[in-house]
Amino acid sequence: EAGVAQSPRYKIIEKRQSVAFWCNPISGHATLYWYQQILGQGPKLLIQFQNNGVVDDSQLPKDRFSAERLKGVDSTLKIQPAKLEDSAVYLCASSLEGGSTDTQYFGPGTRLTVL
Amino acid sequence: GNSVTQMEGPVTLSEEAFLTINCTYTATGYPSLFWYVQYPGEGLQLLLKATKADDKGSNKGFEATYRKETTSFHLEKGSVQVSDSAVYFCAHSGGSNYKLTFGKGTLLTVNP
């Protein structure tokens, strides 16, 4: 079974530029998550999709971050404009249904450096 | 609010030593509890989980028991190997919409 795919793996940009990340979840998984992991901390949820609808985006900085999941499969996360404090690893995860006992499967992440 | 507190690292052990990484949590309702591991250069992967009180999760020689009375889920292994060197994250699904709340992670280094 193929895992969660993400691209690119690394990205370096200057502040105020824009950047986009792509995620392809495990086939058949209804729930997709984007997390931000700052160095030395645990992942923090940015947004959660159930199929192509948003379930939770309470911690997404909506003035600069946006995300979509067209057709309930692939997803993109965009930052525009980027700030220095956005330097982090962005993780995509998926789970079968999004319930309390579900296992979330993580992709390898995209390491973003903002200069 | 929802939170996870886990033992500060780094932890350095010799091969075959006993490992304990403490984890306590605060959560609403009855969350599931998880340990995820991140090996060098790899993504997060589930190590083990427990979905209700007194359940024991186990995998690859690691164990953790869901203790509701002490709100704890400590990770243990009787004899660590060099290949266990990684960052370990404790998490629970007690947030709204069952989102995962993670601890800060504990870096484990096992020397031969």
Side-chain angles (χ1 to χ4, degrees), chain B residues 31-112:
Chain B
S32 294
L33 303 176
F34 304 83
W35 276 100
Y36 278 84
V37 60
Q38 190 168 34
Y39 297 105
E42 298 184 17
L44 277 167
Q45 55 186 273
L46 179 72
L47 179 60
L48 54 85
K49 71 179 185 182
T51 60
K52 60 183 187 295
D54 300 325
D55 266 4
K56 178 186 285 188
S58 60
N59 185 26
K60 299 182 181 181
F62 291 88
E63 292 183 340
T65 301
Y66 190 157
R67 301 287 187 200
K68 192 170 185 297
E69 63 278 11
T70 55
T71 62
S72 64
F73 193 53
H74 305 320
L75 182 68
E76 295 183 337
K77 186 174 185 182
S79 176
V80 293
Q81 305 301 311
V82 172
S83 57
D84 294 327
S85 298
V87 182
Y88 293 81
F89 292 92
C90 184
H92 74 65
S93 61
S96 59
N97 301 302
Y98 309 120
K99 65 184 176 188
L100 287 181
T101 300
F102 285 87
K104 291 186 175 182
T106 302
L107 173 63
L108 170 67
T109 301
V110 180
N111 295 317

Side-chain angles (χ1 to χ4, degrees), chain A residues 24-99:
Chain A
N24 180 239
I26 292 173
S27 177
H29 280 194
T31 312
L32 185 147
Y33 313 79
W34 283 102
Y35 289 86
Q36 181 191 58
Q37 185 178 14
I38 293 173
L39 187 66
Q41 298 183 19
K44 181 187 82 172
L45 181 72
L46 292 175
I47 188 166
Q48 176 181 343
F49 292 93
Q50 186 76 13
N51 296 308
N52 60 348
V54 175
V55 173
D56 188 334
D57 63 357
S58 57
Q59 298 190 88
L60 187 74
K62 298 181 188 62
D63 57 335
R64 298 184 300 106
F65 286 65
S66 64
E68 60 183 7
R69 190 184 184 197
L70 299 176
K71 301 181 182 178
V73 182
D74 292 7
S75 177
T76 56
L77 176 70
K78 296 179 182 177
I79 308 175
Q80 181 180 12
K83 292 185 175 181
L84 295 177
E85 59 260 36
D86 298 332
S87 294
V89 176
Y90 290 85
L91 298 167
C92 180
S94 69
S95 68
L96 200 56
E97 297 174 345

